[in-house]
Amino acid sequence: MWIYEKKLQYPVKVSKCDTRMAKYLIEQYGGADGELAAALRYLNQRYTIPGKVIGLLNDIGTEEFAHLEMIATMVYKLTKDATPEQMEAAGLGAHYANHDKALFYNNAAGVPWTASYIQANGDPIADLYEDIAAEEKARATYQWLIDLTDDVDLQDSLKFLREREVVHSQRFREAVEMLKEERDTKKVF
Amino acid sequence: MAKQMDAAYYHLLHELQAVDFVLVELNLYLDTHPNDLKAIEEYNRNAVKRKELACTYEEKYGPLMHFGHSYSKYPWQWAEEPWPWQV
Amino acid sequence: MENQQPAAKAPLPASSNAPNAAYGGHHAPTQFKYYTPYYSPLDPCPPMTVKRYNTPPNLYLGYQPMNLPQYRPEEALRRGTLWPIFYAPYPPR
């Protein structure tokens, strides 16, 4: 089971009232390589991966939910005090018509999240390479999001999330190495 | 309107986030380096530090966790605002 | 022109490129590479003469060695990693 902890993993500070960014940030909420897709991808793959890397998939999958909550916090803060006119000016008129201020799992172009974003092949190497690719794509998306804002506080939180993709990618690469080992021998690094 | 959080709250929260982050990093590292004894000792040391800090935080600002993993004063504190995305 | 780095746009602080024990005493790899795309006289927009892409440290390190230097907890949180070797700054365009 999961236990909720009433705090964010990293402080989210949004200093500029720039509703436009909410439309772009939602990519990492309900997009193909967003945090929801990441969490569900790893937690789903853990059932059918060799035992020595289950723990890693479990733990990275869990951390992704903390990142999902950070993205939600950004979107929430950027939209909660926006008028319908401001929502419309930010390109969120259609979102407002559909959802008011409710968050929704769709990408920056408004396409709803779909399970086909999550690959689960069952082959451990194929799945881990998929995970590495997902981390690199998420890293790149954070770069494009950082490019799209001049709010240094928002950039700060996005840079934290981008760095986490780098570390997760590293760990998945190490997981591949673990699966390449000939035997279950104690490894000396 | 719920209470406004003061500078001391953000400071303590940040301190807790820092120790917890070290624990996340060591946890993922140990998932791929299960035989690194020094890192395990470091993980355990930080887990102790984390417990003390969480205790201090909860005494001042209420429970961090639900389902029996934190204590509550009267009235029931868990469901009180603010939530993490509000502060 | 491949991977030629414009001097004016050094993406990393000098310390990040210092010789590093984790790379056997060699310099840490650069985290951005640069290239120049072909520009046609018929192209409609003013050219972006230099394009860059990111090559983060996880591409180079292999299995993380034990006992690498660490940041203090507060700095680790701020940078998003416990180990300086993984720190990957991103200067916005």
Side-chain angles (χ1 to χ4, degrees), chain B residues 1 3 8 13 15 24 33 35 37 39 41 43-45 52 54-55 61 64 70-71 73 77 80 83:
Chain B
M1 192 167 158
K3 56 184 177 285
L13 174 63
E15 227 178 308
V24 167
H33 300 69
N35 303 317
L37 177 64
E41 287 168 351
Y43 178 87
N44 290 335
R45 255 199 323 277
E52 292 166 2
C55 237
Y61 304 110
L64 277 164
S70 297
Y71 302 102
K73 293 177 187 167
Q77 287 179 294
E80 275 176 17
W83 289 87

Side-chain angles (χ1 to χ4, degrees), chain A residues 49-76:
Chain A
I49 204 110
K52 52 186 172 182
V53 298
I54 291 176
L56 182 69
L57 284 165
N58 182 78
D59 297 340
I60 294 183
T62 299
E63 189 185 348
E64 305 294 7
F65 277 124
H67 299 169
L68 185 67
E69 191 182 30
M70 285 177 63
I71 295 291
T73 300
M74 296 171 193
V75 174
Y76 165 75

Side-chain angles (χ1 to χ4, degrees), chain A residues 9-11 136 139 142-144 146-147 155-156 159-160 162-167 169-171 173-175 177-178 181 187 189, chain C residues 31-32 52 54-59 61-66 76-83 86-93:
Chain A
Q9 187 189 16
Y10 184 88
E136 299 302 342
R139 168 188 54 75
Y142 280 121
Q143 292 167 190
W144 318 150
I146 291 165
D147 290 341
Q155 282 182 344
D156 180 68
K159 284 176 178 176
F160 172 85
R162 173 177 172 274
E163 181 69 44
R164 297 311 295 149
E165 311 295 343
V166 173
V167 174
S169 173
Q170 169 72 23
R171 297 295 169 236
R173 288 163 198 270
E174 288 169 351
E177 296 307 311
M178 289 170 85
E181 273 173 51
K187 180 158 180 158
F189 304 105
Chain C
Q31 297 195 16
F32 286 90
R52 73 171 188 188
N54 184 226
T55 51
N58 60 43
L59 299 179
L61 186 63
Y63 225 105
Q64 181 181 346
M66 295 201 292
L77 179 69
R78 185 153 43 80
R79 293 182 185 258
T81 179
L82 183 54
W83 296 274
F86 293 132
Y87 178 55
Y90 183 75
R93 260 184 257 263

Side-chain angles (χ1 to χ4, degrees), chain C residues 19-73:
Chain C
N20 193 309
Y23 295 107
H26 295 291
H27 287 259
T30 59
Q31 297 195 16
F32 286 90
K33 307 291 181 284
Y34 300 84
Y35 68 101
T36 304
Y38 179 78
Y39 181 70
S40 161
L42 304 178
D43 285 350
C45 300
M48 292 176 83
T49 51
V50 179
K51 303 254 185 184
R52 73 171 188 188
Y53 57 94
N54 184 226
T55 51
N58 60 43
L59 299 179
Y60 301 94
L61 186 63
Y63 225 105
Q64 181 181 346
M66 295 201 292
N67 304 314
L68 287 185
Q70 297 182 2
Y71 291 123
R72 307 294 309 155

Side-chain angles (χ1 to χ4, degrees), chain A residues 28-146:
Chain A
Q28 285 305 89
Y29 194 66
D33 296 296
E35 302 292 353
L36 178 74
L40 298 182
R41 180 183 299 116
Y42 309 145
L43 293 174
N44 181 62
Q45 287 174 359
R46 72 189 165 145
Y47 301 104
T48 52
I49 204 110
K52 52 186 172 182
V53 298
I54 291 176
L56 182 69
L57 284 165
N58 182 78
D59 297 340
I60 294 183
T62 299
E63 189 185 348
E64 305 294 7
F65 277 124
H67 299 169
L68 185 67
E69 191 182 30
M70 285 177 63
I71 295 291
T73 300
M74 296 171 193
V75 174
Y76 165 75
K77 282 179 181 286
L78 284 165
T79 54
K80 79 182 182 84
D81 298 313
T83 63
E85 291 75 25
Q86 284 171 323
M87 293 287 280
E88 205 180 355
L92 287 167
H95 180 96
Y96 186 77
N98 278 317
H99 309 288
D100 189 350
K101 305 291 182 64
L103 277 73
F104 191 68
Y105 292 109
N106 56 214
N107 72 8
V111 180
W113 188 88
T114 166
S116 53
Y117 289 158
I118 299 173
Q119 298 298 315
N121 178 282
D123 178 86
I125 299 300
D127 282 346
L128 283 170
Y129 272 67
E130 163 80 16
D131 301 344
I132 293 165
E135 295 292 339
E136 299 302 342
K137 286 186 276 180
R139 168 188 54 75
T141 302
Y142 280 121
Q143 292 167 190
W144 318 150
L145 288 170
I146 291 165

Side-chain angles (χ1 to χ4, degrees), chain A residues 1-14:
Chain A
M1 79 176 287
W2 274 267
I3 309 294
Y4 183 69
E5 186 159 1
K6 207 173 179 177
K7 74 181 198 346
L8 296 183
Q9 187 189 16
Y10 184 88
V12 169
K13 204 170 158 207
V14 185

